[in-house]
Amino acid sequence: MARVKIDMPETFRFITQLPVRITDINYGGHLGNDAVVSILQEARMRYLASFGATELKALGTALIMADAAIVYKGEGFYGDQLTVEVTADEFSSVGFDLFYRVSTFRGGQLTLIAEAKTGMVCFDYEARKVARLPEALKEQLSKTNA
């Protein structure tokens, strides 16, 4: 069976902390895959907010997610404080990829929970079509630090 592989960048430009909530736990007693998608979205919103942007107002454009890939590496549990690292890379004329690394410290040891990537495309919601990546956004995504 073929597995999804994500070539993760070596460095990340943004870090945030998010708790695992009881509503994030599935019937297996661990962090559900649907909750991971929500955690990535929250981390993405915080990353954009760190330089005054949102998905609808991102330095001259709006953003829409074109695809997502997640590779699960370990279990998350209720009460874990997740560290979510985010960085942008693989820029094109109309978008970029965001990479995420989700981990937690548990029992004095770092546990990797997931690695993920979302393809973000610049989008004009009024015209309902893809737009060009503004240079100002590309520059900001390239330099944003935690």
Side-chain angles (χ1 to χ4, degrees), residues 58-63 92-96 120-124 129-138:
L59 304 178
T61 191
L63 301 172
S92 75
S93 62
V94 296
F96 54 91
M120 304 303 295
V121 174
C122 298
F123 197 73
D124 181 333
K129 66 179 189 174
V130 172
R132 300 215 35 97
L133 173 64
E135 191 60 34
L137 179 57
K138 182 178 179 181

Side-chain angles (χ1 to χ4, degrees), residues 89-112:
D89 205 351
E90 300 183 10
F91 296 93
S92 75
S93 62
V94 296
F96 54 91
D97 287 336
L98 286 178
F99 293 86
Y100 311 79
R101 183 169 47 212
V102 182
S103 59
T104 190
F105 272 99
R106 191 183 312 121
Q109 188 172 333
L110 180 67
T111 300
L112 183 60

Side-chain angles (χ1 to χ4, degrees), residues 3-4 13 35 51 68 84 88 103 107 109-110 114-115 119 146:
R3 298 303 240 196
V4 171
R13 294 183 177 94
F51 55 89
V84 185
S103 59
Q109 188 172 333
L110 180 67
E115 295 176 335

Side-chain angles (χ1 to χ4, degrees), residues 5-25:
K5 290 187 173 41
I6 302 171
D7 292 327
M8 297 296 286
E10 290 185 28
T11 59
F12 287 79
R13 294 183 177 94
F14 178 81
I15 299 171
T16 192
Q17 303 283 320
L18 294 164
V20 175
R21 305 162 307 168
I22 194 63
T23 55
D24 297 329
I25 302 303

Side-chain angles (χ1 to χ4, degrees), residues 10-83:
E10 290 185 28
T11 59
F12 287 79
R13 294 183 177 94
F14 178 81
I15 299 171
T16 192
Q17 303 283 320
L18 294 164
V20 175
R21 305 162 307 168
I22 194 63
T23 55
D24 297 329
I25 302 303
N26 66 14
Y27 59 86
H30 55 222
L31 182 62
N33 55 29
D34 58 327
V36 173
V37 173
S38 292
I39 288 164
L40 298 179
Q41 181 176 10
E42 179 65 27
R44 183 171 58 255
M45 296 298 101
R46 291 180 182 193
Y47 176 53
L48 294 170
S50 75
F51 55 89
T54 68
E55 286 185 333
L56 293 178
K57 293 185 179 181
L59 304 178
T61 191
L63 301 172
I64 193 167
M65 188 188 321
D67 55 51
I70 303 171
V71 177
Y72 298 97
K73 300 288 191 174
E75 294 177 289
F77 299 101
Y78 176 66
D80 282 349
Q81 186 69 19
L82 300 178
T83 298

